Amino acid sequence: MKISLFNTMGRKIEEFVPREAGRAGLYCCGMTVYNFAHIGNMRTYVFEDILRRALEMAGYEVRHVMNVTDVGHLTSDADEGEDKMIVAMRREGKTAHQIAEFYTDAFFRHADMLHIARPHVVCKATEHIPEMIAQVERLEANGLAYRAGGNVYFDIEKFPSYGDLAGLDMENLQAGARIEVDKAKRNEHDFALWFTQSKFENQEMIWDSPWGRGYPGWHIECSAMSMKYLGEQFDIHCGGIDHVPVHHTNEIAQAEGATGKKPWVRYWVHGEWLVMGEEKMSKSKGGFVTVDTLVERGYDPLALRYFCLQAHYRQQLGFSYDALDGAATALSRLRENVLALRKETGGTAAELGDDHPALAEFQAYLADDLNVPRAMSVVWNTLRSDRAAAEKLALVYRFDNVLGLGLEDYEPPREEIPEQVAALVEERLAARKAKDWATADALRKRLADMGYALKDTAEGTTVTKHS
Ligand code: AMP
Ligand code: ZN
């Protein structure tokens, strides 16, 4: 099945035509691992995960690559402030390596809790310094970079299509005043490819380079690593919309400037923000909610995933606990439906043809620029329909390959039975075996008084706590 996506480059919905039939190369900007990911970041990764799964459902073999920014991202995207990793080192009194490892693990732990499939390649910036240096050398050789004040900068005036992705007005950009903090730049939108003039005394975070010991600019890692793992030109590049005007604009300049090949990326697909009140959720502002925060408050992390599925990826999604409660309730209802269908069918789902009309309808919504909210309506309509239970079950499981709510593996949580109760249940079983019915009945009564009901079935005895 064909898929259409809104391409930020050109700002219109286009049919996805990969470079190689049947394959899709997908690069997603990963985390700067100096702090926990908040649920806004996670919304973007859920959207990218849905895109990957929708492509897989449509029959593409996807190669999904994600970077880990463990160096080089200053507190502003535009070369200002300090390196975020160094800020974290000072805050936590740890080494850069410890900080990066801790927050990378935390990120993937949260991603797993949200059923975000692991990328096929996860690449760390610090392990790709030679590739970045090689790309900066190519840019220098092509006359697109200049050295000033000890740093190497990209010269945007030499790259006429610089503003295309964001629709920036180049005339005005060129007329712009030089940036206050970095007088070495010829144009305020020039950006650093390599810094040697580091304000920070930190041996751990600098490398030898043709320009002296230093560290890379933030943007160079994504163009260098995506090209290493997906080729000099590839299919889809994703991220949150905040990356459009600076980070992705700069990535294009670096990649196309180095290779001379256009377009570097065929489809730019950007997710809208998760907002809290009127504001984008962000690390520097208040209202920083993580997946752990939700778990501490008693939520199933998949309620957040369900919550994200309720909005189209190009619409802002307003977070509130009330709204999350709504998603948690809907997810419980969905699970109850699945449990009921399993009970009715003995757990055996029907065999489904790939051309089943409900599947086709579900896929058609996904193919329409990932209209997940409409695809969700197909799920609920299917459950309400008069199709056979085994067919419904099979359909819901197939839908869930994209939704990622873990419905096929879902088991209701088992109640914790205190040891003392378990011991009494065992004692009663022994009494029953010995045909000592009086003791067995007395124990049943004692357990009932403690609030536990027993049910004897062919498979054994189940214990439930009265509510
Ligand atoms: P960062 O570590 O800041 O580069 O962010 C990682 C990813 O999360 C990027 O793709 C950002 O665009 C995205 N992102 C950051 N804040 C939000 C937000 N409030 N809602 C959705 N995505 C976000
Ligand atoms: Zn990136």
Side-chain angles (χ1 to χ4, degrees), residues 340-351:
L341 288 172
R342 273 196 223 154
K343 201 166 171 197
E344 201 177 333
T345 58
T348 315
E351 292 285 327

Side-chain angles (χ1 to χ4, degrees), residues 29 222 247 251:
C29 289
C222 285
H247 182 50
E251 279 189 41

Side-chain angles (χ1 to χ4, degrees), residues 28-34 37-45 48 69 73 77 84 107 218 238-244 247-248 270-276 279-283 317:
C28 300
C29 289
M31 289 299 302
T32 305
V33 283
Y34 74 111
H38 55 64
I39 57 173
N41 301 125
M42 297 320 281
R43 180 196 181 189
T44 291
Y45 297 110
E48 292 163 350
T69 301
H73 193 171
D77 286 355
K84 290 183 174 182
F107 170 70
W218 169 41
C238 289
I241 47 158
D242 48 323
H243 282 345
V244 175
H247 182 50
H248 290 168
H270 290 101
E272 253 291 355
W273 289 331
L274 182 119
V275 293
M276 192 104 159
E279 295 226 42
K280 166 180 181 285
M281 184 170 285
S282 73
K283 285 176 198 168
L317 176 59

Side-chain angles (χ1 to χ4, degrees), residues 36 70 146 150 184 188-189 241 377 413 464:
F36 291 104
D70 50 0
Y146 61 92
E188 77 171 292
H189 290 272
I241 47 158
S377 69
T464 42

